[in-house]
Amino acid sequence: MREIVTLQCPVCKERNYTTTKNKKTTTGRLEFSKFCNRCRKHTDHKETK
């Protein structure tokens, strides 16, 4: 079953993106390089609760 997770910018702590992940196959935390509007640059967004 897929679950909705939120991605957060580590620099400004803004939660910019949501995505889904399969909890059975992906046990670790997701991390994507995404653009942050507040920082105005690409940062490594990490999964939060």
Side-chain angles (χ1 to χ4, degrees):
M1 185 171 157
R2 298 188 74 80
E3 189 170 305
I4 298 173
V5 294
T6 306
L7 301 177
Q8 183 180 34
C9 174
V11 179
C12 67
K13 307 294 189 220
E14 183 157 332
R15 295 178 177 188
N16 298 317
Y17 297 97
T18 58
T19 187
T20 60
K21 80 168 190 175
N22 190 336
K23 284 239 172 179
K24 288 186 179 179
T25 58
T26 311
T27 55
R29 295 219 163 187
L30 291 178
E31 184 173 327
F32 295 112
S33 180
K34 295 286 220 172
F35 183 78
C36 178
N37 281 324
R38 189 187 283 181
C39 298
R40 303 293 300 159
K41 62 183 177 181
H42 278 83
T43 57
D44 288 330
H45 284 64
K46 296 178 182 173
E47 175 189 338
T48 58
K49 290 186 176 182

